[in-house]
Amino acid sequence: MGFSAAVAVSVFLVTYVAIGTEKINRTIVSMSGAVLLLVLGVLDLKEAVTTYVHWETVGLLFGMFTIIAVLSEAGFFTYMALVVAKKLDYNPLRILVVFPLVTAFLSAFMDSITVMLFFATLTYELSRLLKFDAIPVVVAEVCLANIGGSSTLVGDPPNVILGLMLGFSFNDFVIHNGPTAVVASLGAIGVAYLQCRKRLLTGGTVDRGALTAMDPAKAIKDSRLFTLGLGAFLVAILFLVIHAWVEQTLHIPLTAPLAPLIPAFVILILGGNKTEDILRKIDYDVLLFFIGLFVVVGGLEKTGVIKALADLIASAFRHQDLALLSTLMWFSAVSSAIVDNVPFALSMAYVIKGIAGQVGVPALSIMVWAVSLGTDIGGNGTPIGASANVVAYAAMEKHGHRIGWPRWMWLAIPQTLVALFICNVGLALKLWLNFY
Amino acid sequence: MRVLFCVDGSEGADRALAQGAAWLRNAGMQAVVLHVIPEVDERLRHYERLHESELRQIEDLFGHEGHGLEVAVQARDRLKQLGLEADRKVRQGDPAEEILAEIRGGAYDLVVLGSDATGTVEEPRLGSVAERVVREGQASVLVVRTGKTG
């Protein structure tokens, strides 16, 4: 291993561990790693910015974040949760089943962190009045949010990275990961129901009066912004569905990142005096975190470390397609439960691209589905496996509901294992049917 | 007698509160309920800042009394049901540090808290918070065992 490769590996490992320990802000860690690689001469600034930072990913995330910021500002998430709770007649058992399915659906199209910030808070508030244990509901919501996120290109950052870097569209994800994610969601919610149905109610006087008097429409802070945000969101999804067709047939360069960026900028223009509030809600830290990571992982790619790893994996699993796919999925799942899944997905994007260039290995597409499902869903296993978990866990703790690692794992691991088992069967089926 | 009941929203702390109150009901005490909210995770704080006004709106919609105050209010109500009047206090930070600070400033005669005791009779082990309060607190401490003992 040459000096540059050794430096690239060292910087990557230190960055990875530092992100995992969370002692220092992860954006500072990833940007410091990137700067270190530039200072040590592994990469120069021009190639880092033009070759390794994947601006399409950054652009798509910025567009989606803007639209979600508008929906949040308008009161969409609170409105949505209150409407659903009312439809469920404020029945805790129904909430246990349906709220997680709602988070799964929303997280398929939106950033699951924002979804969970609101749903954990709202579930806690409902649990106070309806006297049920909010913890199993919130854990199921997180698990389903992460599973739902695996079903589309925009559902989870690892999918954005894998899809855009390796050339897979929104529709590819919906067709191939979508059905698997739906079945996995149903499996996981079935487990959650069996785990908690008898112990959900905590006893005490239920304050239904306060709830039935509550009008969900009151949650809408700004009806114009609400309509604009919802319209922009639907347009973004429509563009994501049709962009490949528009590009190929009409020769209009409507790329995937432009799908959310166009409606996002339209609302920013039409937002009037709300524009500044919207811009303040955008998670720029995450965008910088991604930019730093692109450079850090780019160091591994440039120095040949990724290629060496890909060669090693390909030779170990030659002509053992199902074994390779299952290993990719379970390894991704376990890794994501322990450390942040973004740097992992980014590294794996290069690794599976390297594997796909070899003889006797599965097609790149099915490896993308395996890594995506494992990375997105595996994060459920621990409270730190994904940012949505961290936020929901901390939000509950803040409200005086200490979940603790043992209880989280007791609740989440069976749901996760069932979901991953279903995904593994789904991958085997796809391989058998040659449908990938 | 000034008594400090420490609660954290857990079932164990609730049991300790009820048990302690039952034992001390006739002691003629002046009770205070304390809930220490742990430091909020940095990532949660970041997202809360981004969506601050919407989260405040949820609190308003649900008539929330403020983060963490709820646990202290519920504990105070529980004591009231048991026939005891109590004040409530909320602090934020490391639970052991904050309980010790409250003891130092509050001139308490007795502190009541729960502990998920593990270990055996020969080698008892308290939880880390209970252990520090017992060792360093400038008041008598009643630790109500809420976990299993070996």
Side-chain angles (χ1 to χ4, degrees), chain A residues 22 25 72-73 78 113-114 117-118 122 124-125 128 214 218-219 221 280-281 283 285-286 387 390-391 394-395 398-400 402, chain B residues 8-10 35 37-38 40-44 46-48 50-51 53-55 57-59 61-64 67-68 70-71:
Chain A
E22 298 198 12
N25 179 297
S72 163
E73 177 72 25
T78 311
I113 304 166
T114 310
L117 175 68
F118 283 103
L122 287 157
Y124 157 74
E125 296 289 1
R128 281 174 53 235
M214 198 181 288
K218 278 186 191 162
K221 285 166 63 187
R280 264 199 295 271
K281 282 193 191 320
D283 195 355
D285 277 24
V286 166
S387 294
V390 175
V391 165
K398 180 179 166 176
H399 291 303
R402 295 173 63 194
Chain B
D8 61 7
S10 68
H35 175 216
I37 307 164
V40 176
D41 179 88
E42 189 253 335
R43 228 182 298 181
L44 174 64
H46 169 70
Y47 289 104
E48 282 186 336
L50 293 180
H51 303 279
S53 60
E54 292 72 44
L55 292 171
Q57 188 208 14
I58 293 175
E59 287 182 4
L61 266 173
F62 281 85
H64 203 293
H67 293 311
E70 202 64 29
V71 172

Short mmCIF file of all heavy atoms in Angstrom, two decimals, chain A residues 22 25 72-73 78 113-114 117-118 122 124-125 128 214 218-219 221 280-281 283 285-286 387 390-391 394-395 398-400 402, chain B residues 8-10 35 37-38 40-44 46-48 50-51 53-55 57-59 61-64 67-68 70-71:
data_model
loop_
_atom_site.label_atom_id
_atom_site.label_comp_id
_atom_site.label_asym_id
_atom_site.label_seq_id
_atom_site.Cartn_x
_atom_site.Cartn_y
_atom_site.Cartn_z
N GLU A 22 -19.66 10.44 17.99
CA GLU A 22 -20.48 11.64 18.16
C GLU A 22 -19.95 12.62 19.20
O GLU A 22 -20.71 13.39 19.78
CB GLU A 22 -21.93 11.26 18.49
CG GLU A 22 -22.59 10.46 17.38
CD GLU A 22 -24.10 10.45 17.47
OE1 GLU A 22 -24.65 11.22 18.26
OE2 GLU A 22 -24.71 9.67 16.75
N ASN A 25 -19.22 17.33 16.37
CA ASN A 25 -20.26 17.46 15.35
C ASN A 25 -19.81 16.76 14.06
O ASN A 25 -18.70 16.96 13.58
CB ASN A 25 -20.49 18.96 15.11
CG ASN A 25 -21.51 19.21 14.05
OD1 ASN A 25 -21.34 18.85 12.90
ND2 ASN A 25 -22.61 19.82 14.44
N SER A 72 -43.23 21.93 6.65
CA SER A 72 -43.11 22.06 8.10
C SER A 72 -43.60 23.44 8.55
O SER A 72 -44.40 23.56 9.50
CB SER A 72 -41.65 21.85 8.50
OG SER A 72 -41.42 22.34 9.80
N GLU A 73 -43.13 24.46 7.87
CA GLU A 73 -43.51 25.85 8.20
C GLU A 73 -45.03 26.04 8.13
O GLU A 73 -45.62 26.78 8.92
CB GLU A 73 -42.80 26.81 7.23
CG GLU A 73 -43.12 28.28 7.38
CD GLU A 73 -42.52 28.90 8.64
OE1 GLU A 73 -41.53 28.37 9.14
OE2 GLU A 73 -43.09 29.92 9.12
N THR A 78 -48.13 18.25 11.64
CA THR A 78 -49.07 18.23 12.76
C THR A 78 -50.48 17.97 12.24
O THR A 78 -51.23 17.15 12.80
CB THR A 78 -49.03 19.58 13.51
OG1 THR A 78 -47.67 19.89 13.78
CG2 THR A 78 -49.80 19.53 14.80
N ILE A 113 -35.91 12.19 9.12
CA ILE A 113 -35.57 12.86 10.39
C ILE A 113 -36.68 13.85 10.75
O ILE A 113 -37.16 13.89 11.88
CB ILE A 113 -34.23 13.61 10.27
CG1 ILE A 113 -33.13 12.64 9.84
CG2 ILE A 113 -33.86 14.28 11.57
CD1 ILE A 113 -31.86 13.32 9.38
N THR A 114 -37.08 14.66 9.76
CA THR A 114 -38.14 15.64 10.01
C THR A 114 -39.45 14.91 10.35
O THR A 114 -40.17 15.30 11.27
CB THR A 114 -38.33 16.54 8.78
OG1 THR A 114 -37.06 17.04 8.39
CG2 THR A 114 -39.27 17.70 9.07
N LEU A 117 -39.14 13.69 13.90
CA LEU A 117 -39.14 14.78 14.89
C LEU A 117 -40.59 15.13 15.25
O LEU A 117 -40.95 15.27 16.42
CB LEU A 117 -38.42 16.01 14.32
CG LEU A 117 -38.43 17.26 15.19
CD1 LEU A 117 -37.61 17.04 16.44
CD2 LEU A 117 -37.88 18.46 14.42
N PHE A 118 -41.43 15.24 14.22
CA PHE A 118 -42.82 15.61 14.46
C PHE A 118 -43.63 14.44 15.00
O PHE A 118 -44.42 14.60 15.93
CB PHE A 118 -43.45 16.16 13.18
CG PHE A 118 -43.01 17.57 12.90
CD1 PHE A 118 -42.07 17.85 11.93
CD2 PHE A 118 -43.51 18.62 13.64
CE1 PHE A 118 -41.63 19.14 11.70
CE2 PHE A 118 -43.09 19.93 13.42
CZ PHE A 118 -42.15 20.19 12.45
N LEU A 122 -45.62 14.29 18.45
CA LEU A 122 -47.08 14.18 18.44
C LEU A 122 -47.56 12.89 19.10
O LEU A 122 -48.59 12.89 19.78
CB LEU A 122 -47.59 14.28 17.00
CG LEU A 122 -47.48 15.70 16.43
CD1 LEU A 122 -47.44 15.70 14.92
CD2 LEU A 122 -48.64 16.56 16.93
N TYR A 124 -46.07 11.39 21.52
CA TYR A 124 -45.93 11.64 22.97
C TYR A 124 -47.13 12.44 23.48
O TYR A 124 -47.73 12.10 24.51
CB TYR A 124 -44.62 12.37 23.25
CG TYR A 124 -44.65 13.13 24.56
CD1 TYR A 124 -44.57 12.46 25.77
CD2 TYR A 124 -44.81 14.52 24.57
CE1 TYR A 124 -44.65 13.15 26.97
CE2 TYR A 124 -44.89 15.21 25.76
CZ TYR A 124 -44.81 14.53 26.96
OH TYR A 124 -44.90 15.21 28.13
N GLU A 125 -47.50 13.50 22.74
CA GLU A 125 -48.61 14.35 23.18
C GLU A 125 -49.92 13.54 23.22
O GLU A 125 -50.70 13.66 24.17
CB GLU A 125 -48.78 15.55 22.24
CG GLU A 125 -47.61 16.51 22.22
CD GLU A 125 -47.46 17.32 23.50
OE1 GLU A 125 -48.26 17.14 24.41
OE2 GLU A 125 -46.51 18.14 23.58
N ARG A 128 -50.08 11.18 26.22
CA ARG A 128 -50.39 11.84 27.50
C ARG A 128 -51.89 11.88 27.73
O ARG A 128 -52.38 11.63 28.81
CB ARG A 128 -49.88 13.29 27.49
CG ARG A 128 -48.41 13.45 27.72
CD ARG A 128 -48.05 14.91 27.54
NE ARG A 128 -48.86 15.79 28.33
CZ ARG A 128 -49.56 16.83 27.84
NH1 ARG A 128 -49.53 17.11 26.55
NH2 ARG A 128 -50.27 17.58 28.64
N MET A 214 -60.33 19.21 19.52
CA MET A 214 -59.20 19.75 18.76
C MET A 214 -59.46 19.65 17.26
O MET A 214 -59.73 18.57 16.74
CB MET A 214 -57.95 18.96 19.12
CG MET A 214 -56.67 19.66 18.76
SD MET A 214 -55.27 18.64 19.19
CE MET A 214 -55.30 18.74 20.96
N LYS A 218 -56.66 23.59 12.74
CA LYS A 218 -55.96 24.62 13.52
C LYS A 218 -54.43 24.48 13.41
O LYS A 218 -53.68 25.41 13.71
CB LYS A 218 -56.35 24.52 15.00
CG LYS A 218 -57.66 25.20 15.32
CD LYS A 218 -57.85 25.16 16.82
CE LYS A 218 -59.25 25.58 17.20
NZ LYS A 218 -59.59 25.15 18.54
N ALA A 219 -54.01 23.27 13.03
CA ALA A 219 -52.56 23.03 12.93
C ALA A 219 -51.96 23.71 11.70
O ALA A 219 -50.75 23.90 11.62
CB ALA A 219 -52.28 21.53 12.87
N LYS A 221 -50.69 26.50 9.84
CA LYS A 221 -50.30 27.85 10.25
C LYS A 221 -50.52 28.86 9.14
O LYS A 221 -50.77 30.04 9.40
CB LYS A 221 -48.80 27.86 10.62
CG LYS A 221 -48.51 27.22 11.97
CD LYS A 221 -47.04 26.96 12.14
CE LYS A 221 -46.21 28.22 12.15
NZ LYS A 221 -44.76 27.92 12.14
N ARG A 280 -34.19 29.39 6.50
CA ARG A 280 -33.57 29.12 7.81
C ARG A 280 -33.82 27.67 8.26
O ARG A 280 -33.11 27.16 9.10
CB ARG A 280 -34.13 30.08 8.86
CG ARG A 280 -33.25 31.30 9.08
CD ARG A 280 -33.57 31.97 10.40
NE ARG A 280 -34.92 32.52 10.40
CZ ARG A 280 -35.22 33.74 10.00
NH1 ARG A 280 -34.27 34.54 9.55
NH2 ARG A 280 -36.46 34.19 10.02
N LYS A 281 -34.85 27.05 7.71
CA LYS A 281 -35.20 25.69 8.13
C LYS A 281 -34.42 24.61 7.37
O LYS A 281 -34.52 23.44 7.69
CB LYS A 281 -36.70 25.44 7.90
CG LYS A 281 -37.59 26.06 8.93
CD LYS A 281 -38.97 25.51 8.78
CE LYS A 281 -39.98 26.27 9.60
NZ LYS A 281 -39.55 26.66 10.92
N ASP A 283 -31.58 22.21 6.19
CA ASP A 283 -30.51 21.59 6.96
C ASP A 283 -29.19 21.66 6.19
O ASP A 283 -28.74 20.68 5.59
CB ASP A 283 -30.90 20.13 7.25
CG ASP A 283 -30.05 19.53 8.32
OD1 ASP A 283 -29.10 20.19 8.76
OD2 ASP A 283 -30.33 18.38 8.71
N ASP A 285 -26.25 21.88 7.37
CA ASP A 285 -25.22 21.05 8.00
C ASP A 285 -25.09 19.70 7.29
O ASP A 285 -23.99 19.20 7.07
CB ASP A 285 -25.60 20.77 9.47
CG ASP A 285 -25.20 21.92 10.36
OD1 ASP A 285 -25.08 23.03 9.84
OD2 ASP A 285 -25.00 21.69 11.57
N VAL A 286 -26.25 19.11 6.98
CA VAL A 286 -26.22 17.79 6.33
C VAL A 286 -25.58 17.89 4.95
O VAL A 286 -24.82 17.01 4.54
CB VAL A 286 -27.66 17.21 6.22
CG1 VAL A 286 -27.71 16.02 5.28
CG2 VAL A 286 -28.13 16.77 7.59
N SER A 387 -30.13 8.80 11.79
CA SER A 387 -30.41 10.09 12.42
C SER A 387 -31.85 10.16 12.93
O SER A 387 -32.12 10.78 13.96
CB SER A 387 -30.16 11.22 11.43
OG SER A 387 -28.80 11.27 11.11
N VAL A 390 -31.93 8.67 16.35
CA VAL A 390 -31.31 9.55 17.36
C VAL A 390 -32.31 10.63 17.77
O VAL A 390 -32.51 10.90 18.96
CB VAL A 390 -30.02 10.20 16.80
CG1 VAL A 390 -29.44 11.20 17.78
CG2 VAL A 390 -28.99 9.14 16.46
N VAL A 391 -32.95 11.22 16.77
CA VAL A 391 -33.88 12.33 17.04
C VAL A 391 -35.09 11.83 17.83
O VAL A 391 -35.49 12.45 18.83
CB VAL A 391 -34.29 13.00 15.71
CG1 VAL A 391 -35.49 13.89 15.88
CG2 VAL A 391 -33.11 13.81 15.16
N ALA A 394 -33.99 10.82 21.43
CA ALA A 394 -33.68 11.99 22.26
C ALA A 394 -34.96 12.79 22.56
O ALA A 394 -35.11 13.33 23.66
CB ALA A 394 -32.65 12.88 21.56
N ALA A 395 -35.87 12.84 21.60
CA ALA A 395 -37.12 13.59 21.83
C ALA A 395 -37.92 12.93 22.94
O ALA A 395 -38.49 13.61 23.81
CB ALA A 395 -37.94 13.65 20.54
N LYS A 398 -36.25 13.60 26.24
CA LYS A 398 -36.50 14.99 26.65
C LYS A 398 -37.87 15.14 27.31
O LYS A 398 -38.05 15.94 28.22
CB LYS A 398 -36.41 15.87 25.41
CG LYS A 398 -36.64 17.32 25.69
CD LYS A 398 -36.50 18.11 24.43
CE LYS A 398 -37.07 19.49 24.66
NZ LYS A 398 -36.89 20.34 23.49
N HIS A 399 -38.83 14.34 26.83
CA HIS A 399 -40.18 14.41 27.41
C HIS A 399 -40.31 13.51 28.65
O HIS A 399 -41.42 13.27 29.12
CB HIS A 399 -41.21 13.99 26.37
CG HIS A 399 -41.35 14.99 25.26
ND1 HIS A 399 -41.66 16.30 25.47
CD2 HIS A 399 -41.20 14.88 23.93
CE1 HIS A 399 -41.69 16.95 24.33
NE2 HIS A 399 -41.41 16.11 23.38
N GLY A 400 -39.19 12.99 29.12
CA GLY A 400 -39.23 12.20 30.35
C GLY A 400 -39.53 10.73 30.12
O GLY A 400 -39.78 9.99 31.06
N ARG A 402 -37.67 7.74 29.15
CA ARG A 402 -36.36 7.17 28.84
C ARG A 402 -36.54 5.78 28.25
O ARG A 402 -37.07 4.89 28.90
CB ARG A 402 -35.52 7.12 30.11
CG ARG A 402 -35.22 8.51 30.63
CD ARG A 402 -34.55 8.47 31.97
NE ARG A 402 -33.25 7.82 31.87
CZ ARG A 402 -32.56 7.42 32.94
NH1 ARG A 402 -33.05 7.58 34.14
NH2 ARG A 402 -31.39 6.86 32.79
N ASP B 8 -38.09 10.61 37.25
CA ASP B 8 -37.57 10.77 35.89
C ASP B 8 -38.55 10.26 34.83
O ASP B 8 -38.19 10.10 33.67
CB ASP B 8 -36.22 10.07 35.73
CG ASP B 8 -36.31 8.57 35.98
OD1 ASP B 8 -37.44 8.05 36.13
OD2 ASP B 8 -35.26 7.91 36.00
N GLY B 9 -39.77 9.98 35.24
CA GLY B 9 -40.77 9.51 34.27
C GLY B 9 -40.77 8.01 34.10
O GLY B 9 -41.64 7.47 33.42
N SER B 10 -39.81 7.32 34.71
CA SER B 10 -39.77 5.86 34.54
C SER B 10 -40.72 5.19 35.54
O SER B 10 -41.11 5.78 36.55
CB SER B 10 -38.34 5.35 34.76
OG SER B 10 -37.99 5.52 36.12
N HIS B 35 -37.52 16.77 38.87
CA HIS B 35 -37.24 16.00 37.65
C HIS B 35 -36.05 16.65 36.95
O HIS B 35 -36.07 17.84 36.64
CB HIS B 35 -38.45 16.02 36.71
CG HIS B 35 -38.17 15.34 35.40
ND1 HIS B 35 -38.68 15.78 34.21
CD2 HIS B 35 -37.40 14.27 35.10
CE1 HIS B 35 -38.24 14.99 33.23
NE2 HIS B 35 -37.47 14.08 33.75
N ILE B 37 -34.09 16.85 33.65
CA ILE B 37 -34.15 16.51 32.22
C ILE B 37 -32.70 16.34 31.74
O ILE B 37 -31.90 17.26 31.91
CB ILE B 37 -34.80 17.64 31.40
CG1 ILE B 37 -36.15 18.02 32.01
CG2 ILE B 37 -34.96 17.26 29.95
CD1 ILE B 37 -36.66 19.35 31.51
N PRO B 38 -32.40 15.19 31.15
CA PRO B 38 -31.03 15.02 30.67
C PRO B 38 -30.72 16.05 29.59
O PRO B 38 -31.63 16.56 28.92
CB PRO B 38 -31.02 13.61 30.07
CG PRO B 38 -32.27 12.96 30.55
CD PRO B 38 -33.25 14.04 30.85
N VAL B 40 -30.17 17.66 26.26
CA VAL B 40 -30.76 17.25 24.99
C VAL B 40 -29.63 16.95 24.00
O VAL B 40 -28.66 17.68 23.91
CB VAL B 40 -31.66 18.37 24.44
CG1 VAL B 40 -32.21 18.01 23.08
CG2 VAL B 40 -32.79 18.64 25.40
N ASP B 41 -29.80 15.83 23.29
CA ASP B 41 -28.83 15.42 22.28
C ASP B 41 -28.58 16.55 21.28
O ASP B 41 -29.52 17.23 20.87
CB ASP B 41 -29.39 14.18 21.57
CG ASP B 41 -28.47 13.70 20.48
OD1 ASP B 41 -27.59 12.90 20.79
OD2 ASP B 41 -28.64 14.15 19.32
N GLU B 42 -27.32 16.69 20.89
CA GLU B 42 -26.94 17.81 20.03
C GLU B 42 -27.70 17.78 18.69
O GLU B 42 -28.12 18.81 18.17
CB GLU B 42 -25.43 17.76 19.80
CG GLU B 42 -24.85 18.96 19.10
CD GLU B 42 -24.45 18.65 17.67
OE1 GLU B 42 -24.18 17.48 17.35
OE2 GLU B 42 -24.44 19.60 16.88
N ARG B 43 -27.90 16.56 18.17
CA ARG B 43 -28.58 16.47 16.87
C ARG B 43 -30.06 16.85 16.99
O ARG B 43 -30.61 17.50 16.13
CB ARG B 43 -28.44 15.06 16.29
CG ARG B 43 -28.00 15.14 14.83
CD ARG B 43 -27.89 13.81 14.18
NE ARG B 43 -26.91 12.92 14.78
CZ ARG B 43 -26.67 11.70 14.30
NH1 ARG B 43 -27.32 11.26 13.25
NH2 ARG B 43 -25.78 10.93 14.88
N LEU B 44 -30.69 16.43 18.13
CA LEU B 44 -32.09 16.82 18.34
C LEU B 44 -32.19 18.33 18.47
O LEU B 44 -33.09 18.96 17.89
CB LEU B 44 -32.66 16.14 19.59
CG LEU B 44 -34.07 16.58 19.98
CD1 LEU B 44 -35.08 16.18 18.91
CD2 LEU B 44 -34.48 16.00 21.32
N HIS B 46 -30.34 20.53 17.19
CA HIS B 46 -30.18 21.11 15.85
C HIS B 46 -31.52 21.11 15.10
O HIS B 46 -31.94 22.14 14.55
CB HIS B 46 -29.12 20.31 15.09
CG HIS B 46 -29.02 20.62 13.64
ND1 HIS B 46 -28.52 21.82 13.18
CD2 HIS B 46 -29.37 19.91 12.53
CE1 HIS B 46 -28.55 21.83 11.86
NE2 HIS B 46 -29.07 20.68 11.44
N TYR B 47 -32.19 19.97 15.09
CA TYR B 47 -33.47 19.90 14.35
C TYR B 47 -34.58 20.68 15.05
O TYR B 47 -35.48 21.21 14.39
CB TYR B 47 -33.87 18.43 14.11
CG TYR B 47 -32.97 17.79 13.09
CD1 TYR B 47 -31.97 16.91 13.46
CD2 TYR B 47 -33.07 18.14 11.74
CE1 TYR B 47 -31.11 16.36 12.52
CE2 TYR B 47 -32.21 17.60 10.81
CZ TYR B 47 -31.24 16.72 11.20
OH TYR B 47 -30.38 16.21 10.27
N GLU B 48 -34.51 20.74 16.37
CA GLU B 48 -35.50 21.55 17.10
C GLU B 48 -35.36 23.03 16.75
O GLU B 48 -36.35 23.74 16.65
CB GLU B 48 -35.35 21.34 18.60
CG GLU B 48 -35.97 20.03 19.06
CD GLU B 48 -35.95 19.88 20.56
OE1 GLU B 48 -35.10 20.52 21.22
OE2 GLU B 48 -36.77 19.13 21.08
N LEU B 50 -34.31 24.13 13.91
CA LEU B 50 -34.83 24.33 12.55
C LEU B 50 -36.36 24.43 12.54
O LEU B 50 -36.94 25.14 11.73
CB LEU B 50 -34.41 23.16 11.64
CG LEU B 50 -32.92 23.01 11.31
CD1 LEU B 50 -32.68 21.82 10.40
CD2 LEU B 50 -32.38 24.26 10.62
N HIS B 51 -37.01 23.67 13.44
CA HIS B 51 -38.48 23.62 13.41
C HIS B 51 -39.08 24.14 14.72
O HIS B 51 -40.11 23.65 15.18
CB HIS B 51 -38.94 22.17 13.15
CG HIS B 51 -38.39 21.60 11.89
ND1 HIS B 51 -38.93 21.86 10.66
CD2 HIS B 51 -37.32 20.81 11.67
CE1 HIS B 51 -38.22 21.24 9.73
NE2 HIS B 51 -37.24 20.59 10.31
N SER B 53 -40.67 26.89 15.78
CA SER B 53 -42.01 27.46 15.93
C SER B 53 -43.09 26.40 15.78
O SER B 53 -44.13 26.45 16.44
CB SER B 53 -42.23 28.61 14.94
OG SER B 53 -42.09 28.13 13.63
N GLU B 54 -42.85 25.40 14.91
CA GLU B 54 -43.87 24.34 14.72
C GLU B 54 -43.97 23.47 15.97
O GLU B 54 -45.06 23.05 16.36
CB GLU B 54 -43.53 23.46 13.52
CG GLU B 54 -43.63 24.15 12.18
CD GLU B 54 -42.52 25.14 11.95
OE1 GLU B 54 -41.36 24.83 12.26
OE2 GLU B 54 -42.81 26.28 11.51
N LEU B 55 -42.83 23.19 16.59
CA LEU B 55 -42.85 22.36 17.80
C LEU B 55 -43.53 23.12 18.95
O LEU B 55 -44.26 22.52 19.75
CB LEU B 55 -41.42 21.94 18.18
CG LEU B 55 -40.76 20.97 17.19
CD1 LEU B 55 -39.29 20.78 17.52
CD2 LEU B 55 -41.46 19.62 17.19
N GLN B 57 -45.84 25.24 18.49
CA GLN B 57 -47.27 25.22 18.16
C GLN B 57 -47.93 23.92 18.64
O GLN B 57 -49.07 23.93 19.12
CB GLN B 57 -47.44 25.35 16.64
CG GLN B 57 -48.88 25.53 16.22
CD GLN B 57 -49.16 25.00 14.83
OE1 GLN B 57 -48.36 24.28 14.25
NE2 GLN B 57 -50.30 25.36 14.29
N ILE B 58 -47.20 22.80 18.52
CA ILE B 58 -47.74 21.52 19.00
C ILE B 58 -47.98 21.60 20.51
O ILE B 58 -49.03 21.19 21.01
CB ILE B 58 -46.77 20.36 18.67
CG1 ILE B 58 -46.69 20.17 17.15
CG2 ILE B 58 -47.23 19.06 19.33
CD1 ILE B 58 -45.67 19.13 16.71
N GLU B 59 -47.01 22.16 21.23
CA GLU B 59 -47.18 22.32 22.68
C GLU B 59 -48.41 23.16 23.00
O GLU B 59 -49.19 22.83 23.90
CB GLU B 59 -45.95 22.98 23.29
CG GLU B 59 -44.74 22.07 23.34
CD GLU B 59 -43.54 22.74 23.99
OE1 GLU B 59 -43.66 23.88 24.47
OE2 GLU B 59 -42.48 22.12 24.00
N LEU B 61 -51.06 23.60 21.06
CA LEU B 61 -52.27 22.87 20.68
C LEU B 61 -52.68 21.88 21.76
O LEU B 61 -53.86 21.70 22.05
CB LEU B 61 -52.01 22.09 19.40
CG LEU B 61 -52.38 22.73 18.07
CD1 LEU B 61 -51.89 21.87 16.93
CD2 LEU B 61 -53.89 22.92 17.95
N PHE B 62 -51.68 21.23 22.34
CA PHE B 62 -51.96 20.19 23.33
C PHE B 62 -51.97 20.73 24.76
O PHE B 62 -52.06 19.96 25.71
CB PHE B 62 -50.95 19.05 23.21
CG PHE B 62 -51.24 18.12 22.07
CD1 PHE B 62 -50.81 18.41 20.79
CD2 PHE B 62 -51.98 16.96 22.27
CE1 PHE B 62 -51.08 17.56 19.74
CE2 PHE B 62 -52.27 16.10 21.21
CZ PHE B 62 -51.81 16.40 19.94
N GLY B 63 -51.83 22.04 24.91
CA GLY B 63 -51.85 22.63 26.25
C GLY B 63 -50.71 22.12 27.10
O GLY B 63 -50.85 21.84 28.28
N HIS B 64 -49.55 21.99 26.48
CA HIS B 64 -48.39 21.45 27.17
C HIS B 64 -47.82 22.49 28.13
O HIS B 64 -47.81 23.66 27.82
CB HIS B 64 -47.34 21.10 26.11
CG HIS B 64 -46.36 20.09 26.56
ND1 HIS B 64 -45.46 20.34 27.55
CD2 HIS B 64 -46.15 18.83 26.16
CE1 HIS B 64 -44.73 19.27 27.73
NE2 HIS B 64 -45.13 18.33 26.89
N HIS B 67 -41.34 21.47 28.36
CA HIS B 67 -40.57 20.23 28.36
C HIS B 67 -40.20 19.78 29.75
O HIS B 67 -39.67 20.52 30.55
CB HIS B 67 -39.29 20.43 27.55
CG HIS B 67 -39.57 20.64 26.10
ND1 HIS B 67 -40.40 19.83 25.38
CD2 HIS B 67 -39.13 21.59 25.25
CE1 HIS B 67 -40.45 20.26 24.14
NE2 HIS B 67 -39.70 21.33 24.04
N GLY B 68 -40.49 18.55 30.05
CA GLY B 68 -40.02 17.96 31.29
C GLY B 68 -40.85 18.32 32.50
O GLY B 68 -40.88 17.58 33.47
N GLU B 70 -43.86 18.24 32.71
CA GLU B 70 -44.95 17.27 32.76
C GLU B 70 -44.67 16.15 33.76
O GLU B 70 -45.55 15.77 34.53
CB GLU B 70 -45.11 16.68 31.35
CG GLU B 70 -46.45 16.07 31.07
CD GLU B 70 -47.56 17.10 31.10
OE1 GLU B 70 -47.28 18.28 30.80
OE2 GLU B 70 -48.68 16.73 31.43
N VAL B 71 -43.46 15.64 33.75
CA VAL B 71 -43.12 14.53 34.64
C VAL B 71 -43.23 14.99 36.09
O VAL B 71 -43.80 14.30 36.94
CB VAL B 71 -41.69 14.02 34.33
CG1 VAL B 71 -41.24 13.00 35.38
CG2 VAL B 71 -41.64 13.40 32.95
#
